[in-house]
Each structure stands twice: as C-alpha cells, then as structure tokens.
Amino acid sequence: MTVRPADPMALAEAGRLLRDGALVAFPTETVYGLGADATNGRAVAGIFAAKGRPHFNPLIVHVPDLAAAERIAHFTPVARHLAQAFWPGPLTLVVERHAEAGLSDLVSAGLSSIALRVPAHPVAQQLLAAAGRPLAAPSANRSGRVSPTRAAHVAEDLGDRVAMIIDGGATAHGLESTILDGRGEAVVLLRSGAVPREAIEAILGASLTRGPASDDVHPTAPGQLASHYAPNALLRLNARDVQPGEALLAFGSDVPDTAGPTLNLSAEGDLIEAAAALFAALRELDRPGVNAIAVMPIPEHGLGEAINDRLRRAAAPRP
Ligand code: TXA
Ligand code: MG
C-alpha cells in the first residue's frame, strides 16, 4: 500500500489500478471511500473482502455528473430535480437501474435499484475522470469501525488491503451523504447525512417521509429487504447431489452429475470469484421448469460468510 498525494501522476496511476480491478481509497467531501470499478464484479467483491463484511449490502456508485447517472438508471422528474439541486454534493439517490447498465449485480446486492452520487470533492472528480468508470465506494473502514475522514485513518484500517490511498487532506463534512429513495412520488429519507432534511424539504416543497434504513448500522433482517430479491425457485443449501427438477449452483471442482442446468460459482474454489458471480447466477438459474436450486456447500471463511448469509436469506421460508 502507498499513501500518495493527489497529484496528476498518482491520479493517473490510480485510474489504471482501478481499471485493472484493484481497490483505491480516495477522499470525498463526506468521508474517504474505498473505490472499485463498479462494472467489475471481482473488484466489487474485493471491497467486501477488504472491509471484512459478514453480509453484502448495496453500495453507493459514484459518477461524474447527472448525464453519467442517467446512462445507468431511470430518473423520475422529482429525482432529476433533486440531482440538479444538490449535485455535485453529499446527496445519494436510490433510483431504478437500467437492465443494460453494465454494472456488477453485486454492487446493488442483487436489487433492481441503485444508489448513485456525484461527489463534489475535486480529487474524487479527478479520479472518476482518470478511471473512466463508475466507482463503487463505501466508507473506507473495516466493518464495524467508524468512517475515516483522513488518509491516515484509512491506512490504519485497510492499509494492507488497498493498492493505493490518495491523500486529499481531512474531509469537509466528516459525515456520510444523505440517502433518498427517489423512485416514487413521495421521496423517502433512507439515511440522514451531510445534506440536512430541511434543505431537501425546501427544494421539494414537501416533507420527507422516513423509510427503513438498510445500512450496516441496522443490518437488514431476513424477511425485510432481503425477501424482495429472493429467487422464485426454492433453495436447498449444502447439497451434495441434485434431485429431479433442481438446478445446480456448484462451487469447486468436485461437482455431482446432473443433466439439469448448472452454474459453477468458482471451479477453482475462489470465494472472491464466487461472490462476484453469485447474484447473476441465482437470477440465471431461476428459470421456468426449475423447482429448486441445489447449492453446494460454501466454506464459511472470508467472503464465504457473506455468501452464506445471502444464501440463507434466499432459502428462508417465504411469507
Ligand atoms: O458519503 C457517502 O455516501 C460515502 C462516500 C464514500 O461517498 N459512501 C457511503 O457508502 O457511505 P456506503 O456503501 O457505506 O453506504 C451504502 C448504503 C447502504 O448501507 C444502504 O443503506 C444504502 O447505501 N443503499 C445503497 N444502495 C441502496 C439501494 N439500492 N436501496 C436502498 N439503500 C441503498
Ligand atoms: Mg459505511
């Protein structure tokens, strides 16, 4: 790991590292972010591995401007109005992603929505330009620790797990962005943050309703958000064989015989590769004629813990 000042050489190198799938920590006006190419599933999986998160939660994707955001997702008139009022700046909008947006499924934890933000910090903007990709970036701290507002905090927490830390000094807000769900007619406050509620209500000319938070402070319980993206087919976990009518979600090289549809999360048994493939694989196997998906055992270490958490939620009894 190297902490580098935010000069043109470091930024060009950081852009290359990101395009190669590496992690780069960078300053935003709120807190330091742990950035990865949002179009690269392996790179996004690397974020969860570096943070040591026991579950996958949807991440915020950073883009240079509203035009780039509209290439990724659908903006309702009210969402566009909010974006025009507060971007660039510490506001994140949850919007419905386009099917062909080219982002990894893991970045939004398999949801059809996506959280987007246009950062105001000049270094964040320069990095987005250097990378030429949308950047997924949660706060650059280990899971369960407070968000970093200086490069030195990132080095303490994640120093051995990132390719580069760009030092842009102390962040201005020191508090994460405000998150709004802008999909419906009534805008919903999902996380309070650096843009105060009053400023948003002044722009809307209406009051905000408070929605269920799904952040890492309040992990989403099974049956809440999680149930919305369970596949239609039932899941049978820790399967060592395949029954008639079942598809197989395999892991590793020792795969049982089956004539049914099969996908392997990682023939090499690589948990990062498996995490990157997980949501797309569930979607792909959840097809007509498949009654259940038999899922081979996934080891419970590293990203395996988060993969198994997600699989257990998807396998939980449905209402
Ligand atoms: O200030 C910030 O927003 C910082 C800097 C680095 O930009 N980023 C940040 O990201 O705080 P993160 O990944 O820690 O926050 C992600 C949170 C999730 O925990 C969840 O609450 C919400 O954003 N979120 C993301 N995608 C969502 C979605 N599709 N639907 C609902 N909530 C979503
Ligand atoms: Mg965080």
Side-chain angles (χ1 to χ4, degrees):
M1 173 275 302
T2 42
V3 179
R4 299 274 295 273
D7 58 37
M9 255 179 51
L11 284 159
E13 193 180 324
R16 277 195 299 278
L17 285 166
L18 286 163
R19 285 194 300 278
D20 284 348
L23 303 181
V24 172
F26 63 97
T28 80
E29 69 277 30
T30 58
V31 299
Y32 274 73
L34 176 60
D37 175 358
T39 68
N40 178 339
R42 280 191 71 99
V44 174
I47 289 178
F48 292 98
K51 286 189 67 111
R53 258 193 194 155
H55 58 271
F56 297 125
N57 61 332
L59 304 175
I60 296 173
V61 173
H62 299 65
V63 290
D65 52 33
L66 177 57
E70 295 209 51
R71 285 195 289 276
I72 290 175
H74 171 71
F75 279 67
T76 62
V78 68
R80 190 174 300 119
H81 185 56
L82 288 165
Q84 283 161 345
F86 291 104
W87 283 354
L91 181 78
T92 295
L93 290 167
V94 172
V95 282
E96 203 60 28
R97 66 194 257 179
H98 297 312
E100 305 299 324
L103 299 185
S104 121
D105 281 321
L106 187 59
V107 88
S108 51
L111 297 171
S112 62
S113 56
I114 183 90
L116 294 175
R117 144 163 149 74
V118 174
H121 198 294
V123 173
Q125 281 288 342
Q126 286 156 15
L127 184 65
L128 284 165
R133 307 276 165 84
L135 297 179
S139 51
N141 51 278
R142 293 267 187 114
S143 183
R145 306 204 45 179
V146 295
S147 298
T149 55
R150 291 170 185 276
H153 300 166
V154 184
E156 273 165 38
D157 248 28
L158 298 171
D160 55 342
R161 298 173 176 217
V162 293
M164 189 192 289
I165 299 170
I166 304 175
D167 190 349
T171 62
H173 293 283
L175 184 69
E176 286 95 344
S177 61
T178 302
I179 306 181
L180 300 177
D181 186 337
R183 286 172 297 171
E185 238 157 72
V187 176
V188 177
L189 178 63
L190 295 177
R191 178 176 79 182
S192 43
V195 179
R197 166 197 282 272
E198 293 77 10
I200 297 159
E201 292 181 336
I203 292 290
L204 289 175
S207 53
L208 277 176
T209 48
R210 171 114 223 165
S214 60
D215 55 21
D216 38 9
V217 185
H218 305 99
T220 314
Q224 290 181 356
L225 185 62
S227 66
H228 296 317
Y229 49 88
N232 293 314
L234 298 171
L235 260 65
R236 186 166 67 85
L237 303 184
N238 297 313
R240 310 228 172 235
D241 58 6
V242 186
Q243 306 291 322
E246 283 185 339
L248 175 65
L249 187 59
F251 178 83
S253 53
D254 193 11
V255 179
D257 281 337
T258 170
T262 301
L263 284 176
N264 199 328
L265 291 174
S266 172
E268 284 78 46
D270 176 339
L271 290 164
I272 291 192
E273 184 181 28
L278 178 65
F279 291 110
L282 285 174
R283 201 169 296 191
E284 173 74 24
L285 291 179
D286 191 20
R287 53 173 97 148
V290 170
N291 303 325
I293 301 171
V295 185
M296 287 178 66
I298 313 282
E300 189 72 25
H301 61 78
L303 280 187
E305 195 181 343
I307 294 171
N308 284 322
D309 168 80
R310 176 64 186 82
L311 287 170
R312 279 190 291 266
R313 286 164 192 261
R318 314 283 165 75

